[in-house]
Amino acid sequence: MASVEVSLKEMMAAVEGALGAAVVDYTSGMALGTLGGGKDLDLTVAAAGNTDVIRAKVRTMEQLGLKGQIEDILITLDRQYHLIRLVTGRTGNGLFLYLVLDKARSNLAMARHQLKRVEEVIEI
């Protein structure tokens, strides 16, 4: 099992082009930990904003009667990928992993694979 700090380091180190990472409680919108970011990427603000994205998607799924769970949500910008992966399991209910990537330098498939691996071992 991995702590928040270890998980953040794994998210940043394993994917080339990673700009920032966060572990977020989407019931409160609060980041439990962040790594990377900067003046142009405030991960605390992004954590709160992406909480709204998840809540909206869950609400929409309920209204449509869709069954199943959200694995991840991808937001594609002109120069970045913003990848959100919901944490499932007994220790991560209500959390999501958030990873921002440089679009020109990163491999989206590898990033998704890495987030899945981190999700499986994180323990809060």
Side-chain angles (χ1 to χ4, degrees):
M1 293 296 175
S3 68
V4 170
E5 183 179 325
V6 169
S7 297
L8 289 167
K9 288 177 181 176
E10 288 180 3
M11 290 165 61
M12 291 292 289
V15 182
E16 185 176 342
L19 302 173
V23 176
V24 184
D25 176 348
Y26 67 81
T27 57
S28 67
M30 195 165 118
L32 303 179
T34 63
L35 187 61
K39 68 177 179 93
D40 294 330
L41 179 58
D42 185 331
L43 292 169
T44 304
V45 172
N50 284 308
T51 295
D52 292 337
V53 170
I54 291 171
R55 289 177 184 160
K57 187 59 189 171
V58 168
R59 194 170 41 253
T60 301
M61 288 176 64
E62 288 171 356
Q63 291 172 345
L64 293 171
L66 297 176
K67 304 295 182 216
Q69 289 185 208
I70 298 170
E71 286 185 15
D72 55 40
I73 298 171
L74 171 65
I75 300 169
T76 305
L77 305 178
D78 59 343
R79 294 192 173 121
Q80 296 175 345
Y81 292 123
H82 291 235
L83 190 55
I84 301 165
R85 180 161 185 101
L86 275 68
V87 178
T88 58
R90 62 180 177 78
T91 63
N93 198 19
L95 302 179
F96 69 90
L97 306 176
Y98 176 59
L99 182 62
V100 180
L101 303 165
D102 180 311
K103 193 174 176 182
R105 298 184 315 132
S106 62
N107 179 319
L108 184 56
M110 288 302 295
R112 290 184 71 219
H113 176 74
Q114 179 64 11
L115 284 186
K116 183 175 195 259
R117 196 182 73 67
V118 169
E119 178 222 349
E120 291 170 349
V121 297
I122 192 169
E123 185 171 297
I124 306 301

